[in-house]
Amino acid sequence: MVFATGSEFSLTPKSGSRSPITLKQGSFVLGSSQSTDIEVIGAKIAGEHSRIDVKSGRVFITDLDTEGGTFVDENKLFPGVAYILGSGSEIRLGDGSPDASFTIQLPVPPVSMMDELLMSSFKQQFQISASNEVNKMLDEEGI
């Protein structure tokens, strides 16, 4: 699995026969037609099968009312409904042949200044209530 950087997301085919596909802001149609953004070969794959939308740092998938269906983590999607994808989500189109199965990888968000302040505050509060042994272990681990 390939990790995305910045505002890019990776769609990694399960078959290993294709390189990860980088997705940026916008809409991408998956299907068996050569005119789609991402051509997918397999049984029960419609010409325009599913659409992936990348917007505002989130990734959504919509089944385009197909006979074979679109699945996320083995759950069949209702046609026309946009579902949000999480990092590691397994996407399957149609019969789920290896060429029609993907994993989505989202970028790890950068740690903000607020996150660092919250972690620092939590660490200070935890160390006050932790035993000397636990504090020593935390210091050795660099936490």
Side-chain angles (χ1 to χ4, degrees):
M1 197 177 307
V2 174
F3 290 87
T5 58
S7 61
E8 297 178 348
F9 304 87
S10 291
L11 189 63
T12 305
K14 302 275 280 189
S15 67
S17 65
R18 293 169 59 171
S19 298
I21 301 159
T22 300
L23 306 175
K24 295 184 181 183
Q25 200 82 348
S27 292
F28 306 89
V29 175
L30 292 80
S32 61
S33 171
Q34 290 182 348
S35 65
T36 58
D37 300 301
I38 302 169
E39 188 177 358
V40 180
I41 306 300
K44 295 189 178 179
I45 306 292
E48 291 189 354
H49 196 97
S50 300
R51 185 182 65 244
I52 292 180
D53 295 298
V54 180
K55 51 187 167 186
S56 303
R58 301 226 192 286
V59 181
F60 302 87
I61 189 165
T62 305
D63 179 77
L64 300 177
D65 200 15
T66 61
E67 182 181 325
T70 301
F71 300 80
V72 173
D73 298 328
E74 298 303 318
N75 298 301
K76 187 173 184 178
L77 306 185
F78 289 101
V81 177
Y83 292 83
I84 192 164
L85 296 172
S87 193
S89 291
E90 302 283 333
I91 300 166
R92 180 169 58 88
L93 308 181
D95 69 348
S97 66
D99 286 333
S101 298
F102 303 86
T103 302
I104 189 84
Q105 188 61 47
L106 309 179
V108 177
V111 177
S112 70
M113 209 167 164
M114 183 58 81
D115 292 334
E116 289 180 21
L117 287 171
L118 289 170
M119 287 304 293
S120 175
S121 174
F122 173 76
K123 181 179 174 186
Q124 288 172 354
Q125 290 176 358
F126 181 76
Q127 284 181 330
I128 291 170
S129 63
S131 67
N132 289 337
E133 187 177 306
V134 170
N135 284 328
K136 182 180 176 188
M137 184 179 71
L138 289 171
D139 287 338
E140 288 172 359
E141 293 293 323
I143 299 174

